[in-house]
Amino acid sequence: MDKKFVFKSPVFLIPFLLIVLVILGTLIVAFNNANSGSVNWLNDFFASNESVTPTSSDSSSGSKGGTDGSVVDLPGVPTDGGATNTKDQKLIKTGSVSITVDDFDKSSQKVRDIAASVNGLVTSSSDTGKDNTRSVVISIKVPAKNFDSVVKQLKAIGVTVVTSSETSYDITQTYIDLKARLKNQKALEAQLILILDKATKVSDILLIQQELSNVQGQIEVLQSQINYYDSQIDMSTITVSMSLNKESLSVVDNTWKPLGTFRTALQSLITVFLGLLDLIIWIVVFSPIVLIPLIIYWFVKKARKKAKK
C-alpha cells in the first residue's frame, strides 16, 4: 500500500510567515539606516509645503526691560582691594538697550541727538536687512555722569523696551597698581638723568642711556594704559538695538511669488522621485531574500495539494 504525503495541520505555514515578516522588517530597517545621513525625502516633500515663520528668543518683552546694575570684576583684572572710599573707585560702565520702533530713520537720529546733547559721540553703527527683517544697532559713548539719564531717554524712543542691562567693571586695584608703577619708573628716570649728567666715561654714558631708554619706554606703556582706562572710566558705552514694531510690519514680504513656488514644488517632486528610485533599487537587491521563502512556500503548497489527491 502506497503511503501518501499528508499534512496533518496547516501550522507548518507559521514559521514561513514569520521568516517573511522578519526579512521584510530587516529590509525596511536597512533602507532607513542607509538614508539616515541624508534628508528624508518624505520630510522634504511635506516641509516644502510648510510656511516658515521667524521666531524670537528675547529674554524679556514689553515696556519693562530688566536692568542689571551689579558691579563685576573685569576679566583678567585683579579685584579691588585698596580703595576704601567709593569716590576713589574706578568703574567702567557699559549698557545695552533693545527697543522696537516704528521708524528706523527717525529713531536713529534721536539716538544720535541724545548722544550729542551730552557731548557724547557715535562709535559704530550698523543697518542690516530690509523691510520687516531690518534691524539697526548703534553704539554711543556718553559721559559716565550722564549714563542713567541717557539710558532713560533711549528707552523713551522705543515703542516697547525688549531688554535693558548695565554693568560696572571695577578696575580700582589695577588702576592703583599702574599709578604706583608709573611713579616708581618716573623716579628711576630722574635718578638716571642725574647719573648721566655726572658720567664721564663713554662706556658708562652708553649704558646709562640704554637703561634710561628702557625706563622711558616703560613709562610710555604705563601712561598709555592709564590714559585708556581714564577714557573708559569717563565715557560709558551704550549699545542700542532697534527692531521693527510688530504693529508696523508691512505686507511687502507676503506678496505671491509663483516662480519661487514652482521652483520649490519642482525640487520636492525630484526629491520624491529619487527617493522612490532608491526604494526600488533596495527592493530589487533584497528580492532574492524575500523570494526564496515564497518559492519554498509555493512548492510546499503544491505538494500539499498533490497529497490530498
Side-chain angles (χ1 to χ4, degrees):
M1 181 177 181
D2 296 334
K3 293 183 178 179
K4 295 183 179 180
F5 181 67
V6 180
F7 294 96
K8 298 181 178 179
S9 174
V11 177
F12 74 95
L13 294 177
I14 295 177
F16 292 103
L17 293 176
L18 291 177
I19 293 174
V20 172
L21 291 176
V22 170
I23 292 174
L24 289 176
T26 304
L27 175 61
I28 294 172
V29 172
F31 179 75
N32 289 335
N33 290 339
N35 292 277
S36 60
S38 61
V39 179
N40 187 276
W41 57 274
L42 287 176
N43 290 337
D44 289 340
F45 175 74
F46 290 112
S48 64
N49 297 290
E50 295 177 357
S51 59
V52 180
T53 304
T55 58
S56 175
S57 58
D58 297 329
S59 59
S60 61
S61 60
S63 60
K64 295 183 180 180
T67 302
D68 180 8
S70 59
V71 178
V72 300
D73 297 325
L74 186 64
V77 175
T79 56
D80 179 20
T84 56
N85 192 337
T86 55
K87 294 182 179 180
D88 297 331
Q89 281 187 312
K90 302 296 181 180
L91 302 177
I92 299 177
K93 297 187 70 175
T94 61
S96 64
V97 177
S98 178
I99 57 177
T100 61
V101 298
D102 291 327
D103 190 310
F104 284 104
D105 296 332
K106 290 183 180 180
S107 299
S108 298
Q109 187 58 48
K110 287 181 180 180
V111 173
R112 298 174 186 274
D113 293 341
I114 291 173
S117 66
V118 293
N119 296 323
L121 66 143
V122 176
T123 57
S124 66
S125 176
S126 66
D127 190 335
T128 58
K130 63 179 182 178
D131 298 328
N132 296 341
T133 61
R134 184 183 178 188
S135 64
V136 176
V137 179
I138 301 177
S139 293
I140 61 175
K141 275 187 172 292
V142 298
K145 61 181 180 180
N146 301 114
F147 181 88
D148 294 334
S149 62
V150 169
V151 170
K152 185 176 181 180
Q153 294 179 65
L154 293 174
K155 290 180 179 179
I157 295 176
V159 178
T160 57
V161 178
V162 182
T163 59
S164 175
S165 65
E166 63 180 68
T167 307
S168 297
Y169 297 103
D170 190 346
I171 62 165
T172 306
Q173 188 60 49
T174 300
Y175 193 89
I176 293 174
D177 291 343
L178 288 173
K179 281 286 191 179
R181 289 168 59 190
L182 179 62
K183 182 179 179 181
N184 292 337
Q185 291 296 322
K186 285 186 174 181
L188 181 57
E189 179 190 30
Q191 291 178 359
L192 290 173
I193 291 174
L194 291 176
I195 295 173
L196 181 62
D197 292 339
K198 296 178 181 180
T200 56
K201 295 183 179 180
V202 176
S203 58
D204 292 340
I205 293 174
L206 292 176
L207 289 174
I208 295 171
Q209 286 180 340
Q210 182 178 0
E211 184 63 26
L212 181 60
S213 177
N214 292 334
V215 171
Q216 288 174 341
Q218 289 294 323
I219 291 174
E220 291 179 1
V221 171
L222 293 172
Q223 188 62 59
S224 64
Q225 291 179 350
I226 292 173
N227 292 342
Y228 171 76
Y229 281 134
D230 284 337
S231 66
Q232 296 297 308
I233 293 168
D234 296 337
M235 301 290 287
S236 299
T237 301
I238 303 174
T239 302
V240 185
S241 303
M242 291 176 283
S243 57
L244 190 62
N245 181 31
K246 292 182 178 180
E247 296 180 358
S248 301
L249 294 176
S250 64
V251 295
V252 176
D253 290 344
N254 295 328
T255 55
W256 182 45
K257 299 177 181 179
L259 183 60
T261 303
F262 176 77
R263 186 184 296 110
T264 302
L266 183 60
Q267 291 176 348
S268 299
L269 178 62
I270 294 173
T271 302
V272 172
F273 180 72
L274 293 177
L276 290 174
L277 288 179
D278 290 340
L279 180 60
I280 293 172
I281 293 173
W282 276 84
I283 292 174
V284 171
V285 171
F286 280 85
S287 59
I289 301 176
V290 179
L291 290 176
I292 290 173
L294 293 177
I295 293 173
I296 294 173
Y297 171 75
W298 182 80
F299 278 110
V300 171
K301 186 177 180 181
K302 187 176 181 181
R304 182 185 178 189
K305 289 182 178 179
K306 290 182 178 179
K308 288 183 177 179
K309 293 179 180 179

